[in-house]
Amino acid sequence: MLHFADSLTFSGRKVVAAWAALPFPASPGSSLPDTLSAHQQDVPWKLLSSWREQKVSCCFAQSVVLRGICQEKSTSCPGQLQSPLHSCESPEQVLQQFFHTQFPGAFSTSHVLQQPCDTRPPFPQFFSPLLTRRGFLLDKAPGYSSGGVESIPVLAALQSSPVLHSLLSGLWRELRAPDVRRWSSFFAAGVEQDDFQEALEELKTLSQCYETGFGASEDEVDSD
């Protein structure tokens, strides 16, 4: 994972964020272009970190894996205006076209696997009643028991993005707030005060590597 993360980082960045859509929000019988066309305003995956919810507006680099969405024909009606995604010849091309639209200029790689994620016992059954046994979304819950979700389509992503500026700078503020000199057991474990302060400065510098022209400035970070 360390080498994989390194392949997605540059310009002093060292950290990537994990995102996932569990399950990937696809309807029964829908194609990948149909599903992604319904998410033109936002990506259909969420940040896995416990940090507050963040909307992805741009990114520097990402690697995405999609499982369980087969190459199916579009459900669009004849004569209906289709998006550029519908003209792609493969699921990989569909994803690349979607990323090019959502994150222009970003380095993106994608992999598509036909095998879905197996969710049979002992996998916990915490899914919505709107899911079919194959993990596809229904408009309303069926009037019968589906017997549990056996598999789901999943999208997972590692992403280097400005979201990490907020996460890392927030961690830096929380770590510098307490006076660690009052914790004798902290330094009894072998941590030196100078090393701790140096690590804090490195964390602050790392967070600034994820700033964009629309992010918080260093003065704003220092004033918190």
Side-chain angles (χ1 to χ4, degrees):
M1 289 298 294
L2 178 62
H3 294 299
F4 187 48
D6 284 343
S7 68
L8 298 174
T9 54
F10 44 86
S11 301
R13 306 180 187 106
K14 301 178 181 179
V15 181
V16 292
W19 305 74
L22 185 82
F24 185 70
S27 302
S30 64
S31 67
L32 181 58
D34 293 332
T35 303
L36 292 179
S37 294
H39 293 85
Q40 292 292 336
Q41 302 302 318
D42 197 7
V43 294
W45 57 83
K46 302 296 182 182
L47 181 64
L48 296 183
S49 169
S50 59
W51 192 249
R52 64 181 179 272
E53 183 68 18
Q54 295 277 355
K55 182 178 180 180
V56 186
S57 57
C58 65
C59 79
F60 310 116
Q62 63 182 344
S63 179
V64 180
V65 176
L66 175 63
R67 298 181 56 177
I69 300 294
C70 299
Q71 177 77 336
E72 299 182 17
K73 294 183 179 180
S74 170
T75 57
S76 301
C77 299
Q80 182 178 347
L81 183 62
Q82 294 185 333
S83 72
L85 299 177
H86 292 85
S87 62
C88 298
E89 297 181 355
S90 68
E92 289 84 359
Q93 291 181 3
V94 172
L95 285 177
Q96 287 295 337
Q97 178 64 37
F98 180 74
F99 297 148
H100 178 73
T101 302
Q102 294 287 335
F103 311 110
F107 170 74
S108 299
T109 64
S110 59
H111 302 276
V112 179
L113 307 175
Q114 291 189 0
Q115 186 69 27
C117 179
D118 189 358
T119 56
R120 290 173 296 184
F123 198 96
Q125 291 294 312
F126 48 61
F127 301 106
S128 165
L130 294 176
L131 288 184
T132 67
R133 296 179 66 180
R134 299 302 179 187
F136 292 96
L137 278 172
L138 299 172
D139 292 332
K140 60 180 180 180
Y144 57 89
S145 174
S146 62
V149 179
E150 297 181 353
S151 65
I152 56 173
V154 175
L155 185 144
L158 290 179
Q159 190 178 79
S160 174
S161 73
V163 167
L164 288 162
H165 168 68
S166 298
L167 193 151
L168 293 172
S169 61
L171 178 60
W172 171 73
R173 288 193 296 269
E174 291 179 6
L175 289 175
R176 74 166 185 167
D179 185 0
V180 295
R181 292 173 297 181
R182 302 172 64 180
W183 301 348
S184 58
S185 60
F186 185 81
F187 295 103
V191 179
E192 298 292 339
Q193 175 69 24
D194 292 342
D195 293 340
F196 179 75
Q197 292 300 325
E198 182 180 354
L200 279 181
E201 288 303 312
E202 290 178 353
L203 180 60
K204 176 184 176 182
T205 301
L206 179 61
S207 73
Q208 293 169 351
C209 292
Y210 292 88
E211 284 185 295
T212 63
F214 303 100
S217 67
E218 182 177 345
D219 293 336
E220 289 174 324
V221 172
D222 287 336
S223 65
D224 289 340

